[in-house]
Amino acid sequence: MKIVVLPGDGIGPETMAVAVEALEEASRRFGLGLQLEHDVAGHASLQRHGATVTPALLEKVRAADGLMLGSMATYDFKDESKGEINPSKFFRKSLDLYANIRPARTYCGMPARLGEFDLVVVRENTEGFYADRNVESGGSEMLITPDVVVSLRRITRQCCERIARTAFELAMTRKKHVTIVHKANVLKIGDGMFIDICRQVGREFPEVRVDDVIVDAMMAHVVRAPERYDVVVTTNMFGDILSDLTAELSGSLGLGGSLNAGRDHAMGQAAHGSAPDIAGQDIANPASQLLSAAMLLNWYGQRKGGRNFLEAAAAIEQAIAAAIAAGQCTRDVGGSLGTRAAGQAVLDRLRAA
Ligand code: ATP
């Protein structure tokens, strides 16, 4: 399996260094034969190549089996004509990574603020209310007059269908429950279609229980009783917001692993951003990028029928859980270790797996 590794900005290089060590250890331990190709994106690429991402990099990623993308300083990249392209969007759109899978669960050994839970947000990743990816060229945010802005939201039958299928297939491997999150009381046509298509796809999965919740009510429900949920499927922006909430409810945004998956490609990238407030201080939690690495191995193992990849993914997840249970973790999740030491605690367990 060939994986392109792009460390990213802010805390990205620190957390990616840990994830790379874990991938190398998993490769040795489980005979994965991983080939890691290191390159740059974001500020490092802007300095070196005059653009945050380049066509040559895209070709390299297309030719590989997977991508590990570090956290990106998305907010810094405002003007595409100056090479400031949002790398996360660039890969999601160019590789059609339509499903953003964001699990959130509590861990033994950590104070569970709301009791135990284990859910996954399945977020549509290629359209919706995202001005930078829902039109072929240009943006879908327009300055009509200096005082008036119009932003477009795009919802298509095809994207609803495929994200719904991802959610139901995932639910079949879990507790067989899908919750559709929407705002169909206001966005009657777009989210009305989203619900209809999700329910239509759901009929192919009669074992799966389906319900739907309006997104604002969901914010209250998920704080009140997160254990009620299994797979939550939703459109792009609602999924972005909801998944930051569920990651934080699980203990910290630093536990937010995430996979961006399409038909032929996948990208592991932590759910959070580049966290400039804690960058370069050896305090960021590497678990999010480690979990994203495990999800990438799992995705590949499922496609290729590679049991050793599935075992390696499970071993990384178990090593993270065991390190947290032993209190060998970063401060955001109740420990006292730095990024490197917390990563080492996971690596030691992976080595012994
Ligand atoms: P974006 O707008 O790019 O999605 P975001 O909204 O996720 O970014 P971040 O800056 O990534 O914003 O995260 C918000 C806060 O969460 C940070 O200020 C930081 O305190 C905390 N945080 C994020 N990632 C981690 C991490 N890996 N470890 C510890 N704390 C983190």
Side-chain angles (χ1 to χ4, degrees):
M1 181 188 189
K2 202 183 275 183
I3 301 176
V4 176
V5 177
L6 306 171
D9 305 310
I11 60 171
E14 297 168 75
T15 57
M16 187 62 86
V18 173
V20 163
E21 279 191 81
L23 284 170
E24 285 168 345
E25 184 56 41
S27 185
R28 276 191 292 275
R29 174 76 186 71
F30 294 92
L32 308 181
L34 295 185
Q35 294 171 41
L36 304 185
E37 288 190 28
H38 299 269
D39 212 313
V40 289
H43 277 296
S45 175
L46 194 59
Q47 275 171 9
R48 199 181 292 178
H49 304 297
T52 51
V53 281
T54 62
L57 178 61
L58 179 60
E59 284 322 301
K60 189 187 265 192
V61 172
R62 271 195 209 284
D65 300 296
L67 169 63
M68 284 289 288
L69 184 65
S71 303
M72 287 290 154
T74 310
Y75 200 71
D76 293 349
F77 308 137
K78 295 190 169 78
D79 189 348
E80 293 208 348
S81 70
K82 293 182 181 151
E84 297 173 1
I85 299 153
N86 170 3
S88 311
K89 174 240 31 185
F90 176 76
F91 290 116
R92 284 168 177 165
K93 193 169 170 177
S94 309
L95 302 173
D96 199 21
L97 307 177
Y98 61 84
N100 189 195
I101 319 281
R102 295 183 161 189
R105 52 162 284 201
T106 44
Y107 287 88
C108 177
M110 260 178 63
R113 294 174 211 185
L114 304 164
E116 290 174 15
F117 69 90
D118 180 351
L119 59 80
V120 184
V121 176
V122 174
R123 163 197 178 197
E124 204 291 323
N125 219 10
T126 52
E127 56 174 19
F129 222 148
Y130 274 71
D132 61 357
R133 74 198 62 162
N134 66 14
V135 292
E136 183 60 33
S137 78
S140 61
E141 239 192 347
M142 288 153 283
L143 192 62
I144 307 296
T145 75
D147 302 316
V148 179
V149 178
V150 171
S151 309
L152 292 178
R153 176 175 186 262
R154 188 181 74 151
I155 301 291
T156 63
R157 190 167 289 280
Q158 184 214 10
C159 291
C160 295
E161 218 263 354
R162 62 188 187 174
I163 199 66
R165 197 163 294 286
T166 302
F168 280 95
E169 283 172 356
L170 181 63
M172 287 298 289
T173 69
R174 294 175 47 94
K175 289 173 272 175
K176 298 190 172 67
H177 176 200
V178 169
T179 303
I180 306 161
V181 169
H182 61 89
K183 188 76 185 169
N185 52 335
V186 174
L187 299 165
K188 291 190 168 70
I189 307 174
D191 274 8
M193 183 166 85
F194 181 68
I195 297 179
D196 286 350
I197 293 173
C198 285
R199 288 198 174 274
Q200 216 171 304
V201 170
R203 284 197 273 281
E204 296 172 34
F205 300 83
E207 289 168 61
V208 179
R209 183 159 63 90
V210 190
D211 47 27
D212 68 80
V213 183
I214 294 174
V215 64
D216 40 343
M218 183 66 180
M219 297 293 147
H221 288 314
V222 83
V223 170
R224 197 180 299 153
E227 74 284 356
R228 269 199 220 153
Y229 301 99
D230 177 23
V231 174
V232 177
V233 64
T234 189
T235 50
N236 199 340
M237 190 170 283
F238 297 158
D240 191 13
I241 298 166
L242 180 62
S243 61
D244 263 25
L245 175 66
T246 52
E248 190 62 31
L249 290 179
S250 80
S252 166
L253 261 184
L255 295 172
S258 128
L259 186 76
N260 299 262
R263 213 191 57 185
D264 303 318
H265 299 276
M267 169 173 97
Q269 185 191 26
H272 54 73
S274 61
D277 56 330
I278 56 169
Q281 299 168 45
D282 193 39
I283 53 178
N285 190 344
S288 48
Q289 200 59 55
L290 281 165
L291 289 166
S292 307
M295 292 177 80
L296 185 61
L297 296 182
N298 184 284
W299 174 84
Y300 187 79
Q302 287 196 11
R303 290 181 81 226
K304 302 279 176 181
R307 264 190 61 186
N308 53 341
F309 282 86
L310 304 182
E311 286 165 5
I316 294 174
E317 286 173 20
Q318 282 157 16
I320 295 167
I324 292 174
Q328 294 179 330
C329 47
T330 46
R331 275 186 268 162
D332 57 312
V333 287
S336 58
L337 300 182
T339 308
R340 284 193 296 270
Q344 194 56 50
V346 174
L347 281 176
D348 291 344
R349 284 167 174 82
L350 189 56
R351 224 161 263 146

